[in-house]
Amino acid sequence: MLSLFFVALVSATLLPGGSEVWLARLWCMGEPPLALWLLATTGNTLGSMINVALGRYARQFQDRRWFPASPRSLARAEGWYHRFGELSLLISWAPIIGDPLTVLAGVFRLPWWRALAWIVIAKGARYAVVLLLAHYWLAPLCL
């Protein structure tokens, strides 16, 4: 069951992963749903907080030639981020766009505790929905 923590952690970083499938598999094997939810949420939140830290660290290199964003695009992203703000972290659970949102939270120096709060809500809700869907749709298929 501890493997779920690591799969969820890696899934939240910029590396690909499939924590939902792993969660559903362990649920199907009869593991306790609350423990699964806690492990997946904790691991995925920690992975997202690593992204926040990477964003904070990366900002110091914004004047370097190799930095992936031009000053103009960084200014546009900052405008967008301040318009939608930290609430955008509520979709940090989403594939493709969620990981960059957590990096932006770090780049734009969202306080750690606020980033953590929004990310826990988003990740916890996602895994609760996965478990709920498993309960209603996957249960008949589990052996």
Side-chain angles (χ1 to χ4, degrees):
M1 209 165 56
L2 190 58
S3 61
L4 176 61
F5 173 84
F6 292 108
V7 169
L9 186 144
V10 169
S11 294
T13 65
L14 298 176
L15 300 171
S19 60
E20 297 85 2
V21 172
W22 200 256
L23 174 68
R25 177 186 172 274
L26 290 172
W27 178 84
C28 219
M29 293 171 59
E31 297 292 346
L34 181 58
L36 293 172
W37 180 82
L38 284 169
L39 284 169
T41 300
T42 302
N44 212 246
T45 298
L46 181 58
S48 289
M49 293 306 289
I50 289 170
N51 289 345
V52 173
L54 289 172
R56 282 178 170 257
Y57 178 72
R59 184 71 187 247
Q60 70 182 337
F61 299 109
Q62 69 186 17
D63 296 328
R64 303 279 171 88
R65 188 173 180 208
W66 51 264
F67 192 74
S70 68
R72 184 174 181 215
S73 65
L74 197 58
R76 263 187 307 173
E78 192 163 13
W80 177 89
Y81 190 77
H82 288 302
R83 186 169 354 138
F84 296 104
E86 58 198 69
L87 285 178
S88 65
L89 290 176
L90 287 176
I91 57 173
S92 64
W93 61 267
I96 301 170
I97 62 170
D99 296 339
L101 288 173
T102 59
V103 172
L104 286 176
V107 168
F108 300 129
R109 301 273 188 207
L110 182 65
W112 289 103
W113 68 270
R114 291 198 346 228
L116 178 64
W118 291 117
I119 291 168
V120 166
I121 291 168
K123 305 296 183 152
R126 174 186 54 191
Y127 289 118
V129 168
V130 169
L131 286 169
L132 189 66
L133 291 174
H135 177 75
Y136 286 108
W137 290 351
L138 198 57
L141 303 174
C142 296
L143 299 175

